[in-house]
Amino acid sequence: MSKRKQTKQTKAKDINKRILKIAVMPMSDDGCSHYRINKPYKEMERLGLAQVEFFKSSDLETDRFMDYLNKCDLVVCRAYHSKAILDVIDTYFDIKVLVDIDDDLFDIDPYNESYSAHGTKEVKHGNKWLWKHLVNINIMENKAYLNSVKKLLKRADIISVSTERLKEKMLEYNKNVIINFNAIDFKDWIYRDIKKSDEIRIGWTGGASHYKDWLTVQDDIIKIMKEYPQVKLVIGGIMFEGVFKKIPKERIEYYDWVRPEAHGFRTALMNLDIAIIPLEYSQFNSNKSCIKFYEFSSLKVPTICSNVPPYSDEVPVELLFKDLYSKIKPFIENKKVRDTIGDIQYNWVMKNRDLKKVTEELYNNIKSLV
């Protein structure tokens, strides 16, 4: 038996007797990393399941990082860190790697701001360039980057994804794909029974990639605002001025971005009566998770969603809409309906998407493959 093979077998037996040592690199503070990496792996350490060290980009050439690589069992990174992790793999070729990916990076919609980093074709909107090579996009660099992502996905020992649909997609690159559901840390998402006024506050939170999603309900929103003068639209994140230009400004309340750790608190203080999640059907959107539904549910906010994947995969059928105007009317007109649905959603997310439970499942899946 070769020395290298014997060492691997000895290490495998050793892992079974102790908790895992995990290196997370590099640690980021964007919203996706917050849900996909920071929260679950900090929870894993809090539960005593693993010893986890987090490293920032500036740490990757330090002695502390190199020393920990020599003794850790697993390196965890997100797919967009492909270049950094591939450099590590070239040096530490025996190291086991988990790559997390929560979007299909190879199928980005041109109206998504992420197309600037992932798009591989020039795109026109009407007669105007939406994306033009070497003007606002570098197609050659993007192709090279996506090739490095594919190389990393194929090299990884484990890929973790957020949904069953995305798992099927990632099986094209690797046989070891596990699901790590986005989960709610109920210390951050605390239901607050804030005194209500006569307003009916209909809200949403999200980023610039959702412009086309809002276009699917623009006419319904205008119709609702005209019919129900007590309705106020409450927006968190990005404000699409063009979509809302026919709505009086005094009937729209806007909340700017906050750090991921404060997102739950800020969303609770938006004091919503109803949440809506419009989504255009596309293959890219179908591979997303239902995180917005989980968030609003944790605050007992009754939430209606477009009847397309991923929401049609998990959300009860009575909360799905093809016609927003017809679906939302009973929620606006009947507080009892809102309260009943809010409680049902809260109980579901507590049972199925609690951070502790999801993290324990993630750890067990990792341990079985490492």
Side-chain angles (χ1 to χ4, degrees), residues 215-305:
L215 289 180
T216 66
V217 298
Q218 182 181 30
D219 292 341
D220 284 339
I221 291 293
I222 293 170
K223 190 176 180 180
I224 290 163
M225 299 296 283
K226 286 181 177 178
E227 183 169 338
Y228 296 98
Q230 74 273 35
V231 166
K232 175 166 278 189
L233 196 60
V234 187
I235 303 296
I238 190 75
M239 170 70 80
F240 298 109
E241 300 286 353
V243 173
F244 305 131
K245 63 184 178 182
K246 293 184 179 180
I247 299 173
K249 290 185 178 180
E250 64 271 15
R251 295 187 63 191
I252 302 177
E253 193 170 299
Y254 172 67
Y255 291 81
D256 205 345
W257 293 109
V258 294
R259 287 185 59 83
E261 298 87 345
H263 179 47
F265 183 72
R266 190 280 306 273
T267 305
L269 294 184
M270 289 169 67
N271 197 16
L272 301 181
D273 295 286
I274 307 166
I276 59 173
I277 308 178
L279 195 69
E280 180 191 45
Y281 174 76
S282 70
Q283 286 299 317
F284 176 77
N285 283 343
S286 296
N287 290 318
K288 286 179 170 289
S289 83
C290 298
I291 183 60
K292 281 187 175 61
F293 181 74
Y294 308 158
E295 291 175 345
F296 290 128
S297 296
S298 70
L299 299 175
K300 298 190 179 182
V301 179
T303 308
I304 55 177
C305 314

Side-chain angles (χ1 to χ4, degrees), residues 20 64 68 204 218 257 288 327:
L20 295 180
R64 182 175 79 91
Y68 197 75
W204 171 89
Q218 182 181 30
W257 293 109
K288 286 179 170 289
K327 177 64 71 172

Side-chain angles (χ1 to χ4, degrees), residues 83 99 119 208:
K83 179 64 168 61
V99 178

Side-chain angles (χ1 to χ4, degrees), residues 16-32:
N16 288 329
K17 298 177 182 178
R18 58 174 174 77
I19 65 174
L20 295 180
K21 292 184 174 68
I22 298 175
V24 175
M25 61 160 285
M27 186 180 180
S28 302
D29 61 0
D30 60 279
C32 289

